[in-house]
Coordinates of all heavy atoms in Angstrom, one line a residue:
L971 N 159.7 35.3 -0.3 CA 158.8 36.2 -1.0 C 158.1 37.2 -0.1 O 157.8 36.9 1.0 CB 157.7 35.3 -1.8 CG 158.2 34.3 -2.7 CD1 157.1 33.5 -3.4 CD2 159.2 34.9 -3.8
N972 N 157.8 38.3 -0.8 CA 157.0 39.4 -0.1 C 155.7 39.5 -0.8 O 155.5 39.2 -2.0 CB 157.8 40.7 -0.2 CG 159.2 40.6 0.3 OD1 159.4 40.5 1.5 ND2 160.2 40.6 -0.5
G973 N 154.7 40.1 0.0 CA 153.4 40.4 -0.6 C 153.3 41.9 -1.0 O 154.3 42.6 -0.9
G974 N 152.2 42.3 -1.5 CA 152.0 43.7 -1.9 C 152.8 43.9 -3.2 O 152.9 43.1 -4.1
T975 N 153.4 45.2 -3.3 CA 154.2 45.6 -4.5 C 155.6 45.8 -4.0 O 155.9 46.0 -2.9 CB 153.6 46.9 -5.1 OG1 154.0 48.0 -4.2 CG2 152.1 46.8 -5.2
P976 N 156.6 45.9 -5.0 CA 158.0 46.2 -4.6 C 158.2 47.6 -3.9 O 159.3 47.8 -3.4 CB 158.7 46.2 -6.0 CG 157.8 45.4 -6.9 CD 156.5 45.6 -6.4
Y977 N 157.2 48.4 -4.0 CA 157.3 49.7 -3.3 C 156.7 49.7 -1.9 O 156.7 50.7 -1.2 CB 156.6 50.8 -4.1 CG 157.1 50.9 -5.6 CD1 156.3 50.3 -6.6 CD2 158.3 51.4 -5.8 CE1 156.8 50.4 -7.9 CE2 158.8 51.5 -7.1 CZ 158.0 51.0 -8.2 OH 158.5 51.0 -9.5
E978 N 156.2 48.6 -1.4 CA 155.7 48.3 -0.1 C 156.7 47.5 0.7 O 157.2 46.6 0.1 CB 154.3 47.7 -0.1 CG 153.3 48.6 -0.9 CD 151.9 47.8 -1.0 OE1 151.8 46.9 -1.8 OE2 151.0 48.2 -0.2
K979 N 156.8 47.7 2.0 CA 157.6 46.9 2.8 C 156.9 46.2 3.9 O 155.8 46.8 4.4 CB 158.7 47.8 3.4 CG 159.6 48.6 2.4 CD 160.3 47.7 1.5 CE 161.2 48.5 0.5 NZ 161.8 47.6 -0.5
G980 N 157.3 45.0 4.3 CA 156.7 44.3 5.4 C 155.3 43.7 5.2 O 154.6 43.3 6.1
V981 N 154.9 43.5 3.9 CA 153.7 42.9 3.6 C 153.9 41.4 3.4 O 154.8 41.0 2.7 CB 153.0 43.5 2.2 CG1 151.7 42.8 2.0 CG2 152.9 45.0 2.4
E982 N 153.1 40.6 4.1 CA 153.3 39.1 4.0 C 152.5 38.6 2.8 O 151.4 39.1 2.4 CB 152.7 38.5 5.3 CG 153.3 39.0 6.6 CD 154.7 38.4 6.9 OE1 155.1 37.5 6.1 OE2 155.3 38.7 7.9
V983 N 153.0 37.5 2.3 CA 152.3 36.7 1.2 C 151.2 35.9 1.8 O 150.0 35.8 1.4 CB 153.2 35.9 0.4 CG1 152.5 35.0 -0.6 CG2 154.3 36.7 -0.3
D984 N 151.6 35.2 2.9 CA 150.6 34.3 3.6 C 150.6 34.7 5.1 O 151.6 34.4 5.8 CB 151.1 32.8 3.4 CG 150.0 31.8 3.9 OD1 149.1 32.3 4.6 OD2 150.2 30.6 3.6
H985 N 149.6 35.3 5.5 CA 149.5 35.8 6.9 C 149.5 34.7 7.9 O 149.7 34.9 9.1 CB 148.3 36.7 7.1 CG 148.4 38.0 6.2 ND1 149.2 39.0 6.5 CD2 147.8 38.3 5.1 CE1 149.1 39.9 5.6 NE2 148.2 39.6 4.7
S986 N 149.2 33.4 7.5 CA 149.0 32.3 8.4 C 150.4 31.8 8.8 O 150.6 31.1 9.8 CB 148.3 31.2 7.8 OG 148.9 30.6 6.7
V987 N 151.5 32.2 8.1 CA 152.8 31.8 8.5 C 153.7 33.1 8.5 O 154.7 33.2 7.8 CB 153.4 30.8 7.5 CG1 152.8 29.5 7.7 CG2 153.2 31.3 6.0
S988 N 153.4 34.0 9.3 CA 154.1 35.3 9.5 C 155.5 35.1 9.9 O 155.8 34.3 10.8 CB 153.3 36.2 10.4 OG 154.1 37.4 10.6
R989 N 156.4 35.9 9.3 CA 157.8 35.9 9.7 C 158.0 36.5 11.1 O 159.0 36.4 11.7 CB 158.7 36.6 8.7 CG 158.7 36.0 7.3 CD 159.6 36.7 6.4 NE 159.2 36.6 5.0 CZ 159.6 37.3 4.0 NH1 160.6 38.2 4.2 NH2 159.2 37.1 2.8
R990 N 157.0 37.2 11.6 CA 157.1 37.9 12.8 C 156.7 37.0 14.0 O 156.5 37.5 15.1 CB 156.2 39.2 12.8 CG 156.5 40.1 11.7 CD 155.7 41.4 11.8 NE 155.8 42.3 10.7 CZ 155.1 42.3 9.6 NH1 154.1 41.4 9.5 NH2 155.3 43.1 8.6
A991 N 156.5 35.7 13.7 CA 156.0 34.8 14.7 C 157.0 34.8 15.9 O 158.2 34.8 15.8 CB 156.0 33.4 14.1

Side-chain angles (χ1 to χ4, degrees):
L971 302 181
N972 304 288
T975 73
Y977 303 104
E978 299 174 285
K979 304 299 180 184
V981 181
E982 304 280 358
V983 176
D984 187 349
H985 297 285
S986 65
V987 287
S988 174
R989 295 181 209 171
R990 304 184 186 91

